[in-house]
Amino acid sequence: MPEPESGTAPLRVLFCIGVNQNFFDLPTGQGKAVWDGFMTMFGRLHGMPGVRVLGTIDDDQHMVGPSGSWPWTSYVLADVVDQPTVAAVCNLFRTVQVGEYGLWRYMKIEARAGRPLPDPEATR
């Protein structure tokens, strides 16, 4: 991942993803198109310059129903080069299509950005 222009460390970002009621209102069997759209978005996220995915958590086996806020359905932890790139990741939910709609019709994303905590071993 390229270093931020200021020479500072990249942002540590937690992308929080919720599945909304529109997904659960789909007729049985029609959710696969949403899953395919999610995987397209996820592939693009992994391929974005300035984004290094550190880990993911998917809670879909332990929760059923919409998640409009915490606890979220899934999380992506990433180092991201700058705020415009964080916004570009969120924008994927607008640009990835699921049929005639954007992915945002079925899912939402929010980003929490900060910086990594220092490694206690490195400060000794």
Side-chain angles (χ1 to χ4, degrees):
M1 178 172 71
E3 279 294 312
E5 293 204 17
S6 65
T8 61
L11 298 169
R12 179 69 44 92
V13 182
L14 182 64
F15 294 100
C16 306
I17 300 168
V19 177
N20 68 37
Q21 187 62 48
N22 288 334
F23 174 80
F24 293 100
D25 289 342
L26 288 170
T28 300
Q30 291 188 11
K32 183 176 181 325
V34 177
W35 176 251
D36 292 344
F38 179 81
M39 292 310 292
T40 296
M41 177 282 305
F42 201 53
R44 290 182 186 172
L45 184 156
H46 272 273
M48 289 183 80
V51 176
R52 183 169 65 97
V53 174
L54 302 173
T56 61
I57 297 174
D58 191 354
D59 202 14
D60 70 323
Q61 291 184 342
H62 301 114
M63 67 182 299
V64 176
S67 59
S69 65
W70 187 91
W72 298 93
T73 306
S74 61
Y75 304 85
V76 176
L77 182 64
D79 281 341
V80 182
V81 69
D82 55 23
Q83 192 284 321
T85 306
V86 174
V89 170
C90 293
N91 197 51
L92 291 172
F93 282 71
R94 293 184 186 97
T95 60
V96 169
Q97 290 295 115
V98 176
E100 61 187 90
Y101 300 105
L103 183 59
W104 63 267
R105 179 177 179 91
Y106 305 102
M107 298 179 166
K108 70 180 282 183
I109 187 169
E110 291 185 11
R112 302 287 305 162
R115 59 180 191 261
L117 290 170
D119 178 356
E121 295 298 319
T123 59
R124 291 181 189 202

